[in-house]
Amino acid sequence: LASSSTLIAKRGWGAPDSAAIARLTIDPSREGNVIGPDFTGLSYETAQLGDPEFFSPSNRDLVGLMRRLGGSGVLRIGGNTSEYSRWTAETPAAMGADAPAQPGAAVGPDTGKAPPKPTIITPHAIRNLRGFVDALGWKLIYGLNLGTGTPETAAEEAAYVFNTFGPRLIAFQLCNEPDLFSRNGIRKAGYAYPDFAKEWRSFYEAIKKRVPDAPFAGPDTAFNNEWLLPFANEFKQDIVSLSQHYYAEGPPTDPSMTIARLLQPNPKLQSQFAGMGQTRKDTGLPFRLAETNSCYSGGKEGVSDTFASALWGAELMYQLAQAGGEGINFHGGGFGWYTPIAGTREKGFTARPIFYGMLLFAQAGAGKLLASSLEYQQDEPLLTAYSLRSDSGSIKAVIFNKHKDRSARIAIQPQERSEEASVLRLTASGLEATTGIVLGANGVDGGGKWEYSSLERVSIVDNAATIEVPSASAALVSFKRL
Ligand code: BDP
């Protein structure tokens, strides 16, 4: 472990000997939830379709970056701007003044401050989107406009999307965060679940009439279990999966929204998981966190764009899997603070810190969670670990040290005969770092190219692999089976 000890000495964290001792005991006989190959995902604003060349196979750098996150995954299109989109079978030129303004402009997450300009969605944009999703090997969740659209137009749009995507379409969602409609000006104050259910039903029926095999998901609520649960029960026969959103913090003007708070356990997440658990019990349907990120209203500078968000995001993926979720979509786009991929076609793209968290998850890969217990002398819950049996057969452990300045020495016992473990590290100069994030000592380039240049080997002594996990870092430990 020469490399990590030098790193520790250099940063002045104290000698590794003084680091806390933790023990992670994995129980390979106790398998938990599955992490499927489609677990990972991204979410973009519908407004991004206003530039039909963005989601297009010709946008090779973006394809490369997204593919780096997984050979399969889910792209979700929606967000606030989906409620202001307009489908047309016409070409934009034929529409004169309604033609999309500034194709190629950066489309970041909507901040929700004012109704956005309507986005014109054309058949051309949908065909390019299909080519894009094909190039990724991913699937699509597509948001329609119940907020300001009509059931008839939604049915026309759905027909075109359905015919274009075939099996690559997982589901339509009919709206975005209907539980906030009464607050964001889409509906009058007092708009309640029964009003929404009626509207949802009428859109659903219009689309079903036009596209009998159309798959649906929902309700895509912001956070409200009081909408999620009745929706699940009322529409369980009509949908293929349930969805809700999660923003850990917000708004960005809240001074208590800090890195330190982001990295602590979050009661809001527990409430989300409670709703999700209940719907699973009630309906048996899978649940997807269809839109998530660190801070709503576009994110918070100095938090959402830092290395802390990478640790937060990667851990959220495991927390969700552990709670029984089937997948996640990190929201982003443009140059938003929390976006995993930043940039434009013209200026090029970069992998932001949170991208590296998703990359760590991708490197651990699909599999089945394993029960494991972490004994740690400190009372702060800033050292956490997750274990899995990967589809390749090997046992893996992912360890997060979210301490700002406390290194940890951890003994990992796979409880299965193994001759050696390898360690891939996710590191940066500190929690606040916005650049210089590396996995396996290498960064990701603007086209998604990445390869580790450092993979440590650790021998198994007394049935354990003992490693240092420096403060503000994560480690993926893979055991080689005997
Ligand atoms: C969600 C919206 C999304 C926004 C995001 C935000 O669905 O369109 O971009 O919040 O406020 O509520 O950052």
Side-chain angles (χ1 to χ4, degrees), residues 394-435:
S394 63
I395 290 183
K396 302 193 177 190
V398 185
I399 297 146
F400 297 97
N401 185 351
K402 300 178 284 174
H403 287 290
K404 199 169 140 223
D405 50 16
R406 187 181 295 158
S407 179
R409 164 175 283 213
I410 179 164
I412 309 158
Q413 294 185 316
Q415 299 207 92
E416 184 174 275
R417 287 185 65 206
S418 167
E419 64 189 16
E420 171 184 86
S422 65
V423 186
L424 190 67
R425 292 180 186 276
L426 179 62
T427 56
S429 61
L431 292 173
E432 300 83 10
T434 54
T435 56

Side-chain angles (χ1 to χ4, degrees), residues 45 79-80 109-110 176-177 245 247 291 295-298 331 338:
E45 292 288 336
N80 285 339
D110 189 63
N176 181 70
E177 303 186 341
H245 299 177
Y247 281 85
E291 193 195 299
C295 174
Y296 62 77
S297 287
H331 196 51
Y338 57 59

Side-chain angles (χ1 to χ4, degrees), residues 46-50 52 77 81-82 84-90 92 95 98 100 118-126 129 142-145 157 161:
T46 297
Q48 188 59 77
L49 292 176
I77 303 285
T81 59
S82 66
Y84 297 90
S85 65
R86 277 196 264 153
W87 165 252
T88 175
E90 309 283 317
M95 302 184 56
D98 270 348
T119 306
I120 309 296
I121 304 174
T122 62
H124 177 58
I126 299 301
L129 179 64
Y142 189 86
L144 294 161
N145 172 5
E157 182 175 357
V161 173

